[in-house]
């Protein structure tokens, strides 16, 4: 594709939760200088100019941005389909009604488990009841509702009950997404990676529920990379369909690419159009010319595009290596050993989970940044 169709706008990394599987970067302090309202309005306009059709408003917790309603209204006026990805903490009826009036199209609410004590323990804060109440508000106001559950060793055995809860709240779509090991999830990998028996049982439950509920609810079950024979294509191909803008204005081809040793590109210094087309962070692994063997001669090279660059870097230290998830990778033993460890011993041997730090406090939201020029706009 010549232009992206999806923008992930990570408005803030502040969040009231402390989920140990969070994919946000470990160096949260580097992202405290958040884009101002005017900067985000310009980013949204430039995204629409670039061809973006969908805008996913995420974080952290996007509801901590006091200008969220204004950003939604601007995206709606541009004709973008808007999706709020939220923990639902702060999703009061008043805020929901304001977002509805602003034109928000869809709400995705995360929940950590089906049972209050388990969910609250994983989230690191009492939150289950508020999430359920928020789901009720979403349905009452007529939005489509996606319920997102990140699966891992501590909740994957509860998939049947999670799906029962999804039926109860009237979810239109359920994402059962096994943990991707970036950020805090990478730090906690040994305590989060499920066993093969857990995965097989969960997948069977999800498949049966998908058949039973196919006319009422979409159920998306995403298996963890570590148990796959082949890797998933990174965001449909590196910098081919999606782009991410982080809270401080960095532009990335995927949410986890902060970890890669690539030159920085920022909307505070250049336009989205130029960054998308020319910046090294976007062009480094676009297409297939960069590929090493065995990817270069593999018939799947334009199916999975060599897999995940961030995963390759985390596991091998080299972002240009074949994703070690692939059974053909020369580094596949790194994944095989992690899987072997997850299937050995008992749960009592698991290391303790390290929670993501709470960062709930909203700093002042500036309208603009005096003294800093705006990024260059596309002519005309």
């Amino acid at each position: 594709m010549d232009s992206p169709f999806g923008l992930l706008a990570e408005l803030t990394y502040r969040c009231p939760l402390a989920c140990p599987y969070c994919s946000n970067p470990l160096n949260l302090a580097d992202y405290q200088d958040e884009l101002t309202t005017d900067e985000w309005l310009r980013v949204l306009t430039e995204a629409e100019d670039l061809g973006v059709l969908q805008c996913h408003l995420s974080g952290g917790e996007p509801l901590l941005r006091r200008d969220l309603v204004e950003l939604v209204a601007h995206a709606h006026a541009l004709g973008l389909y808007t999706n709020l990805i939220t923990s639902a903490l702060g999703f009061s009826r008043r805020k929901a009604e304001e977002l509805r009036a602003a034109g928000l199209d869809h709400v995705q609410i995360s929940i950590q488990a089906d049972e209050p004590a388990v969910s609250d323990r994983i989230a690191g804060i009492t939150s289950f009841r508020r999430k359920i109440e928020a789901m009720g508000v979403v349905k009452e106001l007529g939005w489509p509702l996606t319920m997102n559950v990140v699966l891992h060793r501590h909740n994957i055995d509860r998939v049947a009950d999670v799906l029962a809860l999804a039926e109860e709240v009237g979810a239109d779509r359920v994402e059962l997404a096994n943990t991707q090991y970036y950020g805090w999830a990478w730090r906690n990998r040994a305590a989060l990676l499920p066993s093969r028996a857990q995965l097989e049982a969960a997948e069977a439950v999800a498949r049966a529920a998908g058949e039973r509920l196919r006319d009422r609810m979409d159920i998306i079950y995403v298996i963890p990379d570590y148990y796959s024979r082949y890797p998933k294509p990174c965001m449909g191909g590196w910098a081919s369909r999606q782009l991410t803008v982080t809270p401080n204005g960095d532009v990335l081809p995927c949410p986890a690419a902060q970890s890669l040793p690539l030159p920085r590109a920022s909307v505070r210094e250049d336009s989205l159009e130029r960054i998308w087309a020319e910046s090294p962070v976007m062009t480094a692994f676009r297409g297939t010319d960069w590929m090493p063997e065995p990817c270069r001669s593999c018939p799947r090279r334009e199916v999975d595009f060599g897999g995940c660059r961030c995963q390759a870097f985390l596991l091998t230290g080299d972002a240009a290596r074949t994703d070690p998830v692939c059974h053909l990778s020369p580094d596949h033993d790194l994944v095989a050993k992690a899987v072997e460890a997850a299937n050995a011993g008992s749960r009592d041997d698991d290391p303790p989970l390290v929670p993501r730090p709470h960062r709930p406090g909203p700093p002042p939201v500036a309208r603009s940044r005096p003294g800093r020029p705006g990024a260059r706009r596309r002519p005309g």
Side-chain angles (χ1 to χ4, degrees), residues 315-376:
L315 287 165
T316 72
D318 183 355
R321 299 282 287 181
T322 298
D323 187 339
V325 161
C326 182
H327 75 287
L328 300 173
S329 166
D331 305 304
H332 183 65
D333 64 303
L334 298 172
V335 170
K337 288 177 180 176
V339 169
E340 181 181 356
N343 286 275
S346 68
R347 290 282 298 277
D348 294 336
D349 301 323
D350 291 348
L353 290 167
V354 179
R356 177 196 189 275
H358 293 276
R359 290 188 181 270
V365 177
R367 182 78 206 180
S368 61
R369 294 175 64 86
R372 284 204 179 189
R376 291 186 291 254

Side-chain angles (χ1 to χ4, degrees), residues 42-63:
R42 175 172 52 79
V43 167
L44 294 173
T45 299
E46 291 189 1
E48 192 276 333
D49 287 346
L50 188 57
V52 166
L53 301 175
Q54 301 174 356
C55 176
H56 305 278
L57 301 156
S58 181
E61 176 46 67
L63 286 165

Side-chain angles (χ1 to χ4, degrees), residues 242-275:
Q242 311 272 346
L243 77 163
T244 296
V245 178
T246 68
N248 68 347
D250 288 348
V251 185
L252 303 167
C254 76
Q258 297 105 328
S259 62
L260 301 185
L262 292 171
R264 177 176 172 270
S266 172
V267 296
R268 285 174 167 162
E269 300 167 3
D270 215 336
S271 68
L272 272 187
E273 181 184 41
R274 188 187 295 270
I275 291 170

Side-chain angles (χ1 to χ4, degrees), residues 13 20 22-31 182-188 258-259 314 354-357 359:
Y13 284 149
C22 182
S23 60
N24 285 170
L26 299 179
N27 54 327
L28 292 172
D30 292 351
Y31 298 88
Y182 313 113
W184 296 91
W186 170 254
R187 186 168 180 175
N188 284 302
Q258 297 105 328
S259 62
L314 285 170
V354 179
R356 177 196 189 275
R359 290 188 181 270

